[in-house]
Amino acid sequence: MDVPLEHCFPPVVRPDTRLLVLGSLPGAMSLAAGRYYANPRNQFWRLMESVIDRPLADADYDQRLALLLDAGVGLWDTVAAAQRPGSLDADIRLHAASDLQALVATVPRLRAMAFNGGTSARVGRRQIGDTKLALVDLPSSSPAYTLPFDEKRARWLALRRYL
């Protein structure tokens, strides 16, 4: 079976972005919808709602992105292109990593990069190399990562210090 090459979405950032949250690669539902974290079981929007204290979960997608950007939070992925049957990070066969250094150069107020899950951290830390930015590993917001929500939320709330 030939698995198609999947690509990440463009970064969502502004020059005043202070925190960049990096996933690995959008899952099948997100790719089909053309939206970050489109799977309703993914806890990303609920977790970030707690971090920025703004109503993300019930907002439409464009409002979600605007609220994140207004709070100083940007989004992107560490994997630019890969083959992956399904949505599990364990199945990613990396073809190209995102150019994090090039993006960071366009975001002068950036203070921290947060990696949403182990694959994101593994790929992203290799790409960014030495940096003065804070690098934060987070438990994945994916429904496949079964840490209870309250425990994930407690770890994600540490992101507030970078806003």
Side-chain angles (χ1 to χ4, degrees), residues 30-46:
S30 292
L31 290 168
R35 298 182 294 138
Y36 282 102
Y37 303 103
N39 183 337
R41 291 181 43 228
N42 191 296
Q43 298 169 328
F44 177 82
W45 297 110
R46 287 179 54 214

Side-chain angles (χ1 to χ4, degrees), residues 1-16:
M1 181 171 97
D2 206 20
V3 178
L5 194 63
E6 297 175 347
H7 298 272
C8 73
F9 301 132
V12 175
V13 294
R14 295 191 313 211
D16 63 344

